[in-house]
């Protein structure tokens, strides 16, 4: 999958990101990483050509941003704490959108942890909280996900005309967690396996 993480001393000097931990140091990582005061590490941006659609600019993610986006304010602090305890290093996301052949929005994320155990710990949390991300969610065993991951399906409420079908897929490769949300009237189950494969090969 290639190297996804690179150091950026310039960015670390410009941004105060105390919640992002570091995997640097001479000691090997353990299954229970602790935050480091060293330079922050950032995840290489998802390529603009990774998925079909018009790509937005990449966005760097810290633990606070992920926590606020995933759950309501009551549980955000708890998730942020879990991310740091799991050895979260840094993350990136990029959105891809289209309007033809049915509006569709794809949000792809790559999150890096100090260890594979840390990545698995976050993935376990996310699997149990898919409803917090896309609404009422049901696992869809009919869609193949890389590395034995899982995909959830949210079907819109017929009474709510603003809702659309959405998918949330997630998997981890070593210390990296990859997630993808696909939503909109153009979100079709038949397209999901190819989109997951494309993202997995691109990051």
């Amino acid at each position: 999958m290639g190297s996804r993480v690179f150091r950026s001393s310039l960015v670390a000097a410009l941004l105060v990101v105390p919640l992002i931990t570091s995997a640097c140091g001479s000691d090997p990582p353990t299954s229970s990483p602790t935050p480091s005061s060293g330079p922050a590490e950032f995840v290489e941006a998802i390529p603009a050509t990774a998925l079909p659609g018009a790509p937005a600019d990449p966005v760097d993610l810290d633990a606070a941003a992920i926590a606020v986006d995933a759950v309501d304010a009551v549980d955000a602090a708890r998730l942020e704490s879990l991310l740091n305890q799991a050895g979260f290093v840094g993350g990136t996301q990029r959105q891809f959108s289209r309007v033809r052949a049915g509006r569709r929005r794809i949000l792809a994320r790559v999150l890096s942890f100090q260890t594979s155990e840390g990545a698995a710990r976050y993935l376990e949390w996310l699997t149990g909280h898919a409803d917090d991300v896309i609404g009422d969610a049901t696992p869809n065993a009919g869609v193949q996900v890389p590395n034995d991951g899982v995909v959830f399906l949210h079907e819109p409420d017929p009474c709510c005309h603003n809702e659309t079908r959405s998918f949330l897929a997630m998997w981890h490769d070593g210390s990296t967690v990859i997630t993808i949300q696909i939503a909109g009237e153009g979100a079709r189950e038949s397209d999901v396996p190819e989109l997951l494969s494309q993202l997995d090969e691109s990051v």
Side-chain angles (χ1 to χ4, degrees), residues 15-63:
L15 299 177
V16 179
V17 194
L19 296 176
I20 299 179
T21 58
S22 171
C24 63
S26 57
D27 295 331
T30 65
S31 59
S32 299
T34 57
S36 169
S37 59
E41 292 187 7
F42 293 87
V43 178
E44 186 174 354
I46 298 167
T49 57
L51 293 166
D57 291 335
V59 176
D60 289 328
L61 301 170
D62 61 14

Side-chain angles (χ1 to χ4, degrees), residues 19-187:
L19 296 176
I20 299 179
T21 58
S22 171
C24 63
S26 57
D27 295 331
T30 65
S31 59
S32 299
T34 57
S36 169
S37 59
E41 292 187 7
F42 293 87
V43 178
E44 186 174 354
I46 298 167
T49 57
L51 293 166
D57 291 335
V59 176
D60 289 328
L61 301 170
D62 61 14
I66 295 170
V68 170
D69 185 56
V71 294
D72 60 40
V74 175
D75 292 329
R78 186 178 303 173
L79 174 55
E80 186 177 342
S81 176
L82 181 148
L83 284 164
N84 284 299
Q85 290 174 11
F88 175 70
V89 174
T92 186
Q93 72 178 29
R94 191 190 285 269
Q95 181 172 294
F96 301 81
S97 58
R98 76 175 191 193
V99 294
R100 295 183 177 180
R103 291 181 179 272
R104 184 178 70 188
R105 181 182 67 89
I106 301 173
L107 182 64
R109 281 184 173 177
V110 177
L111 308 180
S112 178
F113 292 78
Q114 292 181 18
T115 66
S116 177
E117 291 83 0
R121 182 177 177 183
Y122 170 68
L123 197 63
E124 180 181 7
W125 180 93
L126 187 58
T127 299
H129 291 79
D131 288 350
D132 292 322
V133 181
I134 61 173
D136 293 338
T138 303
N140 189 332
V143 177
Q144 185 174 0
V145 182
N147 291 342
D148 298 321
V150 62
V151 61
F152 289 88
L153 167 65
H154 168 76
E155 289 285 10
D157 185 337
C159 298
C160 183
H161 299 294
N162 293 327
E163 270 199 325
T164 61
R165 176 184 295 107
S166 58
F167 297 88
L168 171 64
M170 61 192 81
W171 65 96
H172 84 99
D173 186 343
S175 60
T176 300
V177 172
I178 303 169
T179 69
I180 180 172
Q181 295 180 50
I182 308 164
E185 62 188 39

